[in-house]
Amino acid sequence: MFIQENPTEILPASPAVNRSGRNEVCSSGAGLVVVDEKQGAFFLHSGGATYAVAVSDHGFLHHGYWGPPLAAQDLASVFPVRGRAFSPNPIPGDGNFSLDTVPLEYPAYGRSDYGLPAIEILHPPTGSRILDLRYDGHRVLKGKPSLEDLPACRVSAPAEAETLVITLRDSAVRAAVELSYTAFAGHPVMARSARILNEGDSSLVLRRALSCSIDFSPQFSGFHFVHLHGAWARETQIASHRLHPGLQSLESRRGASSHAHNPFFALTEMGAHEEYGAAYGFSLVYSGNFLAAAEVGPYGRVRAQIGLNPFDFSWTLDPGEAFQTPEAVLAFSREGLGGLSRAFHRVFRRHLIPEPWRDRERPVLLNNWEATYFDFDADRIESLAKEAAGLGVELFVLDDGWFGRREDETSSLGDWTANPRKLPRGLADLVRRVRQHGIEFGLWMEPEMVSPDSDLYRAHPDWCLHVPTHSRSLGRNQLVLDLSRPEVRKALFERISEVLRSAPISYVKWDMNRNMTEIGSAAGGPERQQETAHRYMLGLYALLKELMEEFPEILFEGCSGGGGRFDPGMLHYMPQIWTSDNSDAVARLQIQYGASVVYPFSALSAHVSTVPNHQVGRYTPLKTRGDVAFTGSFGYELDTSTMTEEQRKQTRSQIIRYKNLRRLLITGDLFRLRSPFEGNEAAWIVVSPDRREALATHVNVLAEANPSPIKLRLRGLKSDGAYRVNGKEILQGDFLMQAGISVPEPTGDFISNQWHLHLI
Ligand code: DGJ
């Protein structure tokens, strides 16, 4: 019954994929994808997880299984066919079969399925919205193709992955959907996406095109729905609730993935916890409007979906054209949310973050924003950089305010030339002055924006997103440049490149400080305006790709008022992201703990800032601020000139300590031990892959009178190994994990402790 479109193909490594030149043919190779012709099923096996789909006799594609490893076996029992009242039958003569009652893999509306569709297409010649997608072939590829114009996981060698592409077709509408599934060797992780092709001779209108959909069987209707929500300065707060009948969803309509919801959710089985039970994660490699949803149907079927938000979206597909959805990364763990996080961390570090930065240690930086805000000149910057270098800081970052006539938030975005009042001798001169103190130079930019009070806007008032019917809403006094337009991107590329070539700049903080309104483009016709938000993202990605290729040695850090665009899409280009504008150590406990559910520490930019903290007014010890910021790409955000001699001394040793630990922190496995969302403590441990070294951190938030003793049970160590703790006592791994380590009694608020462990 199977139609193999091509024998198994070998793809070159993703970065260099030649789409037309899939040249070699091989047998099934690593066996990540197994095709079971007899029963018409496909199995993906990798890293301790199995995923299965099956084709029914009528050619519908069913979800078969996802979970712990399962040998190829009969999937028929997974979807028993049983006629039910009010479940219509698309197959003439078969009164039992209905799409309303079986698990589906990429459902469409109109042929008896009433759940949330994964795809909707309008067929303008007839006005029909009905889609009947049936299996029409498959192919297996060694490796993983790159996605057209979109960020995605990548492989450096074909052996690292196998990709199954299943073609579904509706011959009446003359549309095809290619569902792509990549299994990554050694990871319980799969990448999914869809490519929709117009094979007819009239245009089609795509109204919904999600990246994936999975129907879990009713036994899972007791799942918990775990997600990360927030707002500016309090991002990535963990929320979890039991699924209820009907729809639960989160989405962004802001033109960015947003502070409000991260493009991620997990389903955890009833009773699952941090280190126990089945957990299924969905993460979208996209930085714009998204939808993540779970729907429990009348017979308990749980439909989970993630992808581009259909809200305010439509896309005209002309004959012969194809539309590629963003990629969803799906992870499975039997070790609860903790295991799920480790699966995401490993796959993102290995297959998503730009290769040059994969395991590369990040420089300790000092950023001048909270030290000076807009109020600085070249002398002040040089003296901050000099002081920082003396403390052991490796990179000085000049934040907002260095360009145009920028004295506050009201002007000059778009005019990327040195501010003549603050830097009269220009940027290159400042970079030289900073670097002469033995420290690298980094620069803040906000390239996607334009201030109405700027030379750029005066020259090109139509270059921003806008509509002819309404005025332009400002956000932080600025407008969003229309990156869907090639001429805007070209001008930006040239201007940014000029700045980056003008001096030895080794780091860029790429900021983005407002969400979209009046989403329209002067470039598209009226019928194409709902394409604008997605075209903007494609434009942004094209610009970033070009810049990364031009400046591979520059470390780009993403930022959107902190974590307003903290997503895998940005991580594909930028290995680290400023986690939040809230730099308070106690607030960061929750923000970073939440972000760590999906993202590795190396991706979380975290700084020590001054006290009282500028966002919440809190005083915390310098040690605690450092210990908390160690959980990320580490740096400082304070005025070094006001430090006491004692603080300088402490900072110097903090930096030495971080430098000794950063390899462990960037490559190790994270085990979360105490949740700051559940009590007065937070704790976690990072363990090296060979389990020879570990760093455990505990923070007690508020002190209590007459407290109970605190014991912290560690995780991830060798149970039969002996560890030297903080260079002193020797304790057995099983003792540390079962009996636990004693946390010294807190002597005040916000006290942290760390234990550095070495296997002896
Ligand atoms: C928002 C960022 O998150 C801050 O760190 C800082 O760079 C400001 N923008 C500058 O305007």
Side-chain angles (χ1 to χ4, degrees):
M1 70 170 301
F2 269 177
I3 310 155
Q4 189 161 345
E5 291 172 341
N6 279 310
T8 304
E9 302 169 32
I10 291 193
L11 291 181
S14 310
V17 165
N18 164 3
R19 269 184 220 101
S20 57
R22 292 171 183 161
N23 38 18
E24 276 179 76
V25 174
C26 78
S27 62
S28 67
L32 300 174
V33 175
V34 174
V35 180
D36 180 343
E37 298 236 2
K38 208 160 129 252
Q39 62 164 328
F42 302 94
F43 291 82
L44 284 92
H45 302 288
S46 67
T50 294
Y51 189 95
V53 295
V55 182
S56 75
D57 292 346
H58 306 298
F60 294 109
L61 189 65
H62 296 283
H63 178 68
Y65 172 84
W66 186 20
L70 197 69
Q73 60 170 272
D74 189 3
L75 291 176
S77 62
V78 181
F79 41 93
V81 172
R82 176 186 185 287
R84 289 184 189 270
F86 287 84
S87 294
N89 319 110
I91 305 301
D94 187 344
N96 284 328
F97 181 83
S98 174
L99 298 177
D100 195 24
T101 58
V102 289
L104 299 169
E105 194 64 6
Y106 202 66
Y109 174 70
R111 298 283 283 165
S112 77
D113 179 61
Y114 294 103
L116 272 183
I119 179 167
E120 273 181 78
I121 293 181
L122 169 71
H123 182 242
T126 59
S128 167
R129 290 92 51 227
I130 310 308
L131 206 55
D132 189 340
L133 293 168
R134 309 280 180 109
Y135 169 82
D136 199 27
H138 71 271
R139 53 190 196 275
V140 179
L141 316 171
K142 288 285 289 166
K144 180 177 190 292
S146 50
L147 293 198
E148 282 158 40
D149 309 327
L150 281 163
C153 291
R154 44 198 152 201
V155 293
S156 0
E160 291 180 356
E162 263 179 34
T163 301
L164 165 70
V165 182
I166 300 176
T167 304
L168 307 176
R169 205 162 250 123
D170 181 326
S171 45
V173 172
R174 300 183 66 191
V177 177
E178 293 179 343
L179 294 181
S180 172
Y181 301 80
T182 298
F184 297 93
H187 299 270
V189 174
M190 190 178 55
R192 275 191 67 177
S193 67
R195 187 162 176 266
I196 296 111
L197 296 91
N198 181 351
E199 300 179 328
D201 38 31
S202 59
S203 297
L204 297 173
V205 180
L206 203 52
R207 290 174 158 180
R208 182 180 181 103
L210 297 185
S211 301
C212 73
S213 181
I214 294 178
D215 283 352
F216 292 90
S217 63
Q219 55 168 318
F220 293 111
S221 54
F223 268 150
H224 271 70
F225 185 80
V226 182
H227 58 108
L228 303 171
H229 69 101
W232 174 78
R234 52 182 168 81
E235 298 86 341
T236 48
Q237 307 291 299
I238 303 177
S240 170
H241 63 80
R242 197 172 157 181
L243 285 185
H244 55 73
L247 178 63
Q248 35 255 282
S249 66
L250 29 120
E251 60 188 303
S252 169
R253 298 177 216 105
R254 294 172 168 270
S257 48
S258 91
H259 298 88
H261 296 289
N262 205 265
F264 157 82
F265 70 102
L267 296 174
T268 56
E269 72 176 344
M270 222 190 317
H273 212 277
E274 181 63 28
E275 292 295 330
Y276 166 80
Y280 300 81
F282 300 76
S283 169
L284 189 68
V285 189
Y286 191 61
S287 316
N289 292 341
F290 73 92
L291 171 70
E295 185 180 45
V296 182
Y299 307 113
R301 182 175 73 177
V302 180
R303 179 163 292 174
Q305 299 185 332
I306 197 162
L308 260 180
N309 197 343
F311 174 83
D312 197 31
F313 167 82
S314 86
W315 192 277
T316 301
L317 260 188
D318 287 332
E321 282 186 352
F323 180 88
Q324 173 64 57
T325 73
E327 178 167 286
V329 179
L330 277 51
F332 169 74
S333 159
R334 274 199 278 194
E335 293 167 2
L337 207 56
L340 194 71
S341 300
R342 290 187 287 281
F344 275 123
H345 296 177
R346 290 193 198 123
V347 88
F348 283 170
R349 284 197 311 240
R350 172 96 202 151
H351 293 295
L352 183 71
I353 283 168
E355 196 165 346
W357 295 98
R358 207 186 259 173
D359 293 328
R360 188 140 142 206
E361 294 174 8
R362 311 294 162 74
V364 177
L365 66 83
L366 180 119
N367 177 305
N368 74 306
W369 179 241
E370 290 196 13
T372 66
Y373 295 103
F374 292 103
D375 184 16
F376 60 82
D377 59 16
D379 290 343
R380 174 90 163 101
I381 293 301
E382 185 187 348
S383 91
L384 279 174
K386 186 177 168 198
E387 299 235 18
L391 296 171
V393 170
E394 297 157 308
L395 168 72
F396 178 84
V397 179
L398 177 59
D399 210 280
D400 196 353
W402 61 267
F403 51 92
R405 281 180 299 284
R406 184 106 160 150
E407 301 295 338
D408 53 32
E409 296 175 359
T410 58
S411 86
S412 302
L413 293 170
D415 298 344
W416 301 111
T417 46
N419 181 312
R421 189 189 70 78
K422 299 182 196 178
L423 308 177
R425 290 170 187 270
L427 186 62
D429 180 69
L430 179 71
V431 177
R432 185 193 51 75
R433 285 174 67 179
V434 165
R435 283 172 52 89
Q436 76 185 351
H437 300 290
I439 188 168
E440 298 286 309
F441 185 89
L443 193 64
W444 178 97
M445 294 186 91
E446 195 177 357
E448 298 163 68
M449 299 290 152
V450 63
S451 308
D453 179 10
S454 67
D455 293 343
L456 179 68
Y457 190 72
R458 282 183 280 274
H460 300 285
D462 67 326
W463 272 16
C464 62
L465 295 177
H466 65 283
V467 292
T469 48
H470 293 81
S471 64
R472 303 169 186 195
S473 303
L474 296 181
R476 207 193 191 207
N477 303 293
Q478 61 202 50
L479 294 161
V480 183
L481 285 171
D482 181 359
L483 296 197
S484 73
R485 296 174 63 172
E487 67 275 31
V488 176
R489 293 201 302 270
K490 184 166 178 286
L492 272 181
F493 177 77
E494 279 164 10
R495 193 61 211 112
I496 298 166
S497 304
E498 228 175 297
V499 173
L500 298 183
R501 276 194 213 104
S502 70
I505 294 168
S506 55
Y507 159 108
V508 170
K509 178 176 172 187
W510 183 291
D511 207 348
M512 193 284 279
N513 281 303
R514 65 157 292 180
N515 290 142
M516 294 179 185
T517 51
E518 297 92 32
I519 301 176
S521 171
E527 70 295 345
R528 296 233 177 217
Q529 290 301 312
Q530 285 189 309
E531 297 178 8
T532 307
H534 183 56
R535 285 196 184 277
Y536 177 95
M537 294 317 305
L538 296 178
L540 171 63
Y541 293 144
L543 176 62
L544 292 177
K545 180 168 182 279
E546 220 183 331
L547 284 167
M548 304 303 133
E549 281 167 7
E550 188 73 14
F551 302 101
E553 275 308 307
I554 293 184
L555 170 60
F556 282 81
E557 174 163 324
C559 177
S560 172
R565 210 167 49 182
F566 201 126
D567 57 64
M570 295 313 285
L571 279 181
H572 176 89
Y573 306 96
M574 306 186 179
Q576 59 192 56
I577 298 176
W578 180 227
T579 318
S580 177
D581 270 354
N582 190 341
S583 60
D584 169 61
V586 176
R588 279 290 186 120
L589 286 177
Q590 293 191 332
I591 295 167
Q592 292 170 191
Y593 201 91
S596 81
V597 170
V598 195
Y599 306 103
F601 276 177
S602 62
L604 273 56
S605 174
H607 298 170
V608 172
S609 61
T610 193
V611 288
N613 172 268
H614 289 192
Q615 292 79 40
V616 300
R618 197 173 354 245
Y619 286 83
T620 48
L622 182 53
K623 169 170 165 38
T624 304
R625 282 176 271 152
D627 289 355
V628 173
F630 275 13
T631 53
S633 289
F634 181 70
Y636 291 81
E637 186 104 7
L638 42 69
D639 186 350
T640 40
S641 65
T642 58
M643 280 180 156
T644 63
E645 213 26 68
E646 176 50 34
Q647 286 165 341
R648 281 203 174 87
K649 207 169 128 210
Q650 223 184 315
T651 302
R652 248 179 241 120
S653 53
Q654 200 165 55
I655 292 174
I656 291 171
R657 185 168 158 76
Y658 177 74
K659 288 177 180 169
N660 284 331
L661 288 165
R662 65 182 155 187
R663 173 130 298 273
L664 165 68
L665 293 167
I666 219 162
T667 58
D669 280 326
L670 170 71
F671 295 80
R672 290 180 294 262
L673 304 174
R674 296 271 156 92
S675 169
F677 295 97
E678 289 168 12
N680 190 36
E681 299 162 62
W684 57 91
I685 183 170
V686 179
V687 184
S688 64
D690 62 7
R691 295 190 284 165
R692 301 191 66 80
E693 189 187 1
L695 181 75
T697 305
H698 177 275
V699 182
N700 196 72
V701 179
L702 293 179
E704 278 181 319
N706 194 17
S708 308
I710 305 174
K711 282 275 184 190
L712 186 63
R713 290 167 63 182
L714 307 184
R715 289 199 182 112
L717 303 174
K718 272 186 197 278
S719 48
D720 57 353
Y723 290 86
R724 187 178 294 282
V725 182
N726 284 342
K728 295 185 202 129
E729 58 187 334
I730 294 171
L731 293 170
Q732 284 297 125
D734 54 2
F735 177 85
L736 290 163
M737 293 193 290
Q738 302 310 330
I741 206 155
S742 294
V743 178
E745 194 170 305
T747 49
D749 290 343
F750 321 126
I751 298 296
S752 67
N753 282 282
Q754 282 188 329
W755 299 267
H756 192 187
L757 288 84
H758 287 95
L759 192 72
I760 53 166

